[in-house]
Amino acid sequence: MKVALSILTADWIRFADSLKEVINDVDYIHMDIMDGEFVPNISFGPAVVKSLRPVTDKPFDTHLMLLHPQNYIKQFAEAGSQYITFHVEADCDVMETINLIKSFGVKPGISIKPGTPVSAIEKYLPYLDLVLVMSVEPGFGGQKFMPSAIDKAKELKELREKNNYNYLISVDGGINDKTLPAIAEYLDLAVSGSYVCNADNKKERLEILHKM
Ligand code: DX5
Ligand code: ZN
């Protein structure tokens, strides 16, 4: 299982330095993009993603919590994202948005909120490189893990095996040493933010997650 570091709760003032501290211990950098409409919070935009691109060659896993993701695919692709994930609950044509992401040579992902079942995305699964199961309501870091994500990750793994699909199964929200063990066996990629970013010894926390 790989680990993506969500930088939403990182120390932004000394950001590039704190990223350098842990960069060798993470597999992906998870970029949380929020518009204040799809979620009740605003984070950062493509200019910030672009400015971080030279800091590392780790892949960027960009998570769009946007009401109209289709309007921003080009910007986040050109900013240097390897994966772009948007929400099935957004106001967009899902298949068109998947194809738009692919047209930039970027891998498409879909995310589902805690209240959305896997059945809502079943018809898109053959076209996806990543499925992101939210284990908190999107919008903020530092929330409590919702165990409903466990069965969804399991279902996604069964569907992938049965149909020979190729997507990575990822989970996002409240991941730490206590919550990850229950879901780790179904995952390819765990996203973790505050558990790592708020620790004095970030390297140690990443090692703990990697071992699961
Ligand atoms: C929530 C974001 C998450 C969040 C994870 O809307 O999508 O990526 O930053 O942070 P923690 O690990 O603190 O829940
Ligand atoms: Zn996220």
Side-chain angles (χ1 to χ4, degrees), residues 21-205:
E21 262 174 48
V22 294
I23 205 68
N24 291 327
D25 305 291
V26 301
D27 301 295
Y28 294 81
I29 308 292
H30 181 92
M31 304 279 184
D32 283 313
I33 313 299
M34 305 180 182
D35 64 354
E37 287 196 272
F38 184 76
V39 289
N41 197 6
I42 295 175
S43 58
F44 51 92
V48 171
V49 176
K50 192 175 177 186
S51 70
L52 289 172
R53 193 57 287 181
V55 176
T56 171
D57 51 15
K58 298 282 172 171
F60 285 177
D61 158 33
T62 301
H63 175 195
L64 302 182
M65 286 162 274
L66 306 178
L67 190 57
H68 300 292
Q70 68 276 33
N71 297 345
Y72 299 93
I73 301 302
K74 184 173 191 280
Q75 289 91 320
F76 285 103
E78 289 176 355
S81 306
Q82 274 65 43
Y83 286 82
I84 295 181
T85 297
F86 64 100
H87 274 263
V88 74
E89 304 89 352
D91 183 12
C92 68
D93 182 306
V94 172
M95 207 54 230
E96 273 179 23
T97 307
I98 289 172
N99 286 330
L100 183 61
I101 295 170
K102 286 189 181 180
S103 75
F104 290 100
V106 176
K107 293 183 164 137
I110 290 189
S111 184
I112 49 176
K113 296 207 281 186
T116 303
V118 168
S119 59
I121 58 167
E122 217 172 322
K123 64 178 171 187
Y124 307 115
L125 294 178
Y127 312 105
L128 296 177
D129 289 302
L130 187 144
V131 177
L132 181 63
V133 178
M134 291 308 298
S135 40
V136 297
E137 284 300 336
F140 299 91
Q143 302 184 77
K144 199 166 170 274
F145 178 83
M146 296 166 82
S148 60
I150 300 169
D151 281 348
K152 291 190 205 176
K154 184 170 184 245
E155 191 180 346
L156 284 162
K157 192 168 180 181
E158 285 164 1
L159 284 167
R160 184 175 64 187
E161 271 161 26
K162 193 171 137 208
N163 299 292
N164 268 321
Y165 294 151
N166 288 314
Y167 50 79
L168 299 178
I169 302 169
S170 183
V171 71
D172 186 12
I175 291 294
N176 57 44
D177 57 335
K178 306 279 184 307
T179 57
L180 187 57
I183 194 168
E185 65 179 298
Y186 311 120
L187 296 182
D188 306 291
L189 180 62
V191 178
S192 187
S194 50
Y195 174 68
V196 175
C197 291
N198 296 351
D200 287 334
N201 193 338
K202 299 177 179 56
K203 259 181 169 321
E204 185 184 77
R205 294 228 162 152

